[in-house]
Amino acid sequence: MGVDRFWGESGQPRLLWYCEYCGGGIYEGEEYFEHEGLRICSDCEGRYALAMFEEQAVKKTANTDSVL
Ligand SMILES: [Zn+2]
């Protein structure tokens, strides 16, 4: 009983950083990604990766002119 009283306080993970993409907290023990110096939380993994892809990829339309 004496130990349980403090569970709420000592059980809180520490907030260490903020995700550079969504601004959400990254807590101690949580997994996150580091890309080009930015910390990205695991929730943003997909969205961030897609945003990076769309920024770097060149969209083209396949047509017969480009066939050698
Ligand atoms: Zn995030």
Side-chain angles (χ1 to χ4, degrees):
M1 187 71 186
V3 172
D4 288 345
R5 250 163 39 126
F6 299 103
W7 186 88
E9 283 177 341
S10 61
Q12 295 265 334
R14 266 198 306 163
L15 176 62
L16 298 184
W17 300 298
Y18 290 98
C19 170
E20 308 270 357
Y21 198 71
C22 72
I26 298 173
Y27 293 88
E28 191 169 17
E30 204 177 323
E31 290 186 320
Y32 69 97
F33 295 85
E34 214 172 83
H35 180 248
E36 295 181 343
L38 301 177
R39 294 188 183 100
I40 307 299
C41 76
S42 52
D43 286 347
C44 291
E45 177 191 359
R47 277 179 295 169
Y48 178 80
L50 183 62
M52 284 296 109
F53 173 79
E54 286 179 332
E55 204 170 275
Q56 292 166 11
V58 180
K59 190 172 192 178
K60 294 189 171 185
T61 303
N63 59 63
T64 52
D65 293 344
S66 56
V67 176
L68 296 174

